[in-house]
Amino acid sequence: MKSKLSAIVIIVLFALISVSCEKANEVQNNNQAVEVTITFPDFIFTFEDLTFNAPASHKAPSITGMSRVSPSEAGMNRISLAIFNSDNTLVFSTTKNASVDEDFSEPISSSLLPGDYHFVAVIHKTNDAGEAAAAIASTSQASITTSKLLSVFAVNQSVTILANQPNTVLIDLGPCITSKFQIKTTDETPANVASCEVILNPSSSATSAYIFNPTTGLAESTYRYRTEFVLSDMGISTFQNIPLGVNCLLSEASQHISITVNMKDASGNIIKSRTFSDVSMKPNRITRATGSFFHSEANSSFTLSTTLDPMYEFEF
């Protein structure tokens, strides 16, 4: 009887030891990094045909409306990715530049411990090969340093990495966070006009470092945006019926801003200036002002016509 009891005790102890080892192995596996593949699948990018007699090298794809294209096909050429753990500590970051990285369109690989993370991604476009990709400081702050802000996409995506298996993360960028204003003059451009200067938020401070929240897509401040379009550089002789656009970040989901448009001669002297007040702007939308610029004296009155995103037009 005593030997049987001892045998039972040994069996029970062996079972307990086996269970304990299995739990220990499970904990150990959960503390082992797993391979994670991050991809940026095709996303909806909406844009309008802006070919307007420009040289072939400056022409955009002749597509109007909404199309499903990849980031590179949409003209985006900078990628920034930062991964933060549940304590908001940065555990991985990388950037890509289409000008130098041959694997720009390839997935990004990393090793992460199982757990919950925030994947913050910023994809944007620049015309300057020397400009870097966005800098991501946290889930609520990123910045783009550029001489001219172009299209920007940003997202803060919650991701759970599972143990004991490879993980594939698809980053859903969603809509563009930038807004665009366009001016389209319908009257003839005087012969002495050489350029058109468009200034958004003329009373605000200018910057080359645009700080924004990648989670909300909203700018930290109301910045001043300025672009000058030169006829000779564009290879055209008139601004008539040509949309001239300036991108911006908004500090509110829906914002009304002031815009100044200056027509200048070759020496930089202003020939004609118009100011538009209380212009409605939204992310992922083009607001276009259309009308007679040189032969109208009215600066304050215009009619608004409502259309579906991404276009919102008013006449002046």
Side-chain angles (χ1 to χ4, degrees), residues 244-287:
L244 305 175
V246 178
N247 292 276
C248 69
L249 290 166
L250 303 177
S251 57
E252 301 175 25
S254 178
Q255 191 171 0
H256 289 74
I257 68 174
S258 295
I259 298 167
T260 297
V261 180
N262 298 318
M263 294 291 181
K264 299 181 178 181
D265 63 18
S267 299
N269 300 310
I270 296 176
I271 297 172
K272 178 80 172 183
S273 180
R274 299 288 298 272
T275 297
F276 305 101
S277 302
D278 203 34
V279 177
S280 174
M281 304 285 285
K282 288 184 179 181
N284 195 41
R285 190 178 74 177
I286 299 172
T287 297

Side-chain angles (χ1 to χ4, degrees), residues 120-123 142 152-156 172-177 212-217:
V120 180
V122 178
I123 294 183
V152 181
F153 293 81
V155 66
N156 173 11
D172 182 9
L173 289 171
C176 185
I177 66 171
F212 60 96
N213 186 329
T215 300
T216 64

